[in-house]
């Protein structure tokens, strides 16, 4: 699929539409209570901008922030729906959108989408996610790239190491860095961090294996020699980490790389926003490149935050849903939100050369286009964009136990991965 850049004319028309809706919404007293997981840091700052724009357009904004895992949000959502008190708007993504759509609880956004021309401007790879049965039930807020490798310029310059492009080059660089008495990989203790790293390992070694194992939950792929090789690479990488990962946050891991305490950090593009907010600079303190791939070309592991809307009986909340959906899909919000979040817009007609987008973000868009063109784009298992949560949770448990326990062999881990998923079928 090819992403087509649209003209600025449509952006202007949509902005005018938002302004007009704002005047109407003020009369209708639109309200919303958005449930989300962004309680801290740059993510909380990004969602705050959405609230500010909603109120500026005449709406009454309330939010319910639920920290931690997606499972925490889902538990609260199920409880509210069963109680007949479904929230107006919820931050959900990937297969969870289709699952909730199948219950009949989601609202239909087709009228708003048609008025704003969403089909013409949303990145094609997101359409089936937001329209699981052909009608819009969710609005995408961004496109994240999961497979970024952040490299410490200080260490690479000091040791004369180039940014590695393959896993063999990565291992060779780490051997040299460790020999110099330095930490090669900055890493924290969280199952999603372990799985984010493993996403990049499996994808970078064999993208077809990634699709079979992590997008289809194919048991043979999960148990295959390729998966064993991927776990062996992960075991090697755990050996390149220091002993202080327990209790370390991803932000602390990020800082280790930016300050030259560690050479590499594997993490999504939200790192860009946090690093720059902390005063670190691209190319001066760190380089951002795709994580290694053994098959050449451009790769992109996609994650996308979105807001799903649930049916409401109160007319004010129904009007609030229309207003919120229009704002989320406006070029102004897509630009402001993604500059703050480190990601790139879900709309393909936003100009990233203006508005404060960083070089890494601009590179992310170029790599996305190249990956789409080359057919290498995949959605992230680690960030809940592929298999159902029950399969993802089972996989994450095995992967993080493997990282924590060096007595588990790569062969045992691959079998455990397949067994854990099979138990959920």
């Amino acid at each position: 699929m090819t992403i087509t850049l649209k003209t600025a004319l449509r952006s202007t028309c949509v902005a005018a539409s938002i302004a007009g809706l704002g005047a109407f919404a003020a009369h209708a007293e639109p309200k919303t209570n958005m449930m989300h997981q962004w309680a801290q840091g740059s993510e909380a700052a990004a969602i705050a901008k959405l609230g500010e724009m909603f109120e500026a357009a005449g709406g009454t904004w309330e939010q319910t922030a639920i920290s931690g895992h997606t499972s925490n949000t889902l538990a609260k959502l199920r409880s509210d729906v069963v109680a007949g008190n479904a929230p107006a708007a919820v931050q959900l993504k990937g297969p969870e959108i289709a699952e909730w759509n199948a219950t009949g609880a989601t609202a239909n956004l087709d009228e708003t989408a048609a008025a704003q021309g969403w089909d013409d401007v949303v990145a094609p790879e997101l359409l089936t996610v937001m329209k699981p049965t052909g009608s819009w039930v969710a609005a995408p807020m961004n496109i994240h790239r999961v497979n970024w490798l952040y490299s410490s310029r200080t260490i690479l310059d000091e040791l004369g190491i180039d940014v590695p492009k393959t896993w063999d080059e990565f291992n060779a660089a780490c051997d040299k860095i460790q020999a110099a008495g330095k930490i090669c990989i900055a890493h924290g203790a969280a199952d999603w961090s372990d799985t984010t790293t493993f996403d990049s390992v499996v994808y970078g070694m064999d993208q077809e294996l990634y699709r079979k194992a992590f997008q289809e939950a194919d048991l043979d792929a999960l148990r295959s020699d390729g998966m064993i090789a991927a776990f062996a690479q992960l075991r090697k990488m755990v050996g390149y980490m220091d002993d202080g990962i327990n209790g370390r946050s991803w932000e602390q891991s990020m800082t280790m790389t930016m300050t030259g305490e560690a050479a590499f950090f594997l993490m999504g593009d939200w790192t860009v926003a946090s690093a720059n907010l902390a005063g670190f600079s691209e190319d001066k303190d760190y380089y951002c490149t795709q994580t290694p791939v053994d098959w050449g070309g451009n790769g992109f592991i996609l994650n996308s935050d979105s807001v799903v809307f649930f049916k409401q009986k109160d007319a004010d909340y129904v009007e609030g849903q229309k207003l919120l959906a229009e704002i989320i899909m406006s070029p102004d919000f897509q630009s402001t939100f993604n500059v703050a979040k480190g990601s790139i817009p879900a709309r393909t007609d936003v100009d990233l050369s203006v508005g404060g987008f960083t070089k890494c973000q601009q590179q992310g868009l170029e790599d996305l286009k190249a990956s789409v063109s080359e057919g290498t784009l995949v959605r992230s298992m680690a960030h809940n964009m592929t298999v159902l949560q029950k399969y993802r949770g089972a996989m994450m448990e095995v992967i993080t136990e493997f990282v924590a326990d060096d007595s588990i062999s790569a062969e045992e881990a691959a079998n455990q991965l397949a067994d854990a998923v099979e138990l959920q079928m």
Side-chain angles (χ1 to χ4, degrees), residues 112-127:
T112 302
Q116 280 193 300
W118 292 4
D119 283 294
D120 296 329
V121 297
V122 170
E125 55 272 17
L126 295 179
L127 293 180

Side-chain angles (χ1 to χ4, degrees), residues 138 173 233 311 416:
Q233 172 63 26
K311 291 177 180 175
Q416 289 173 6

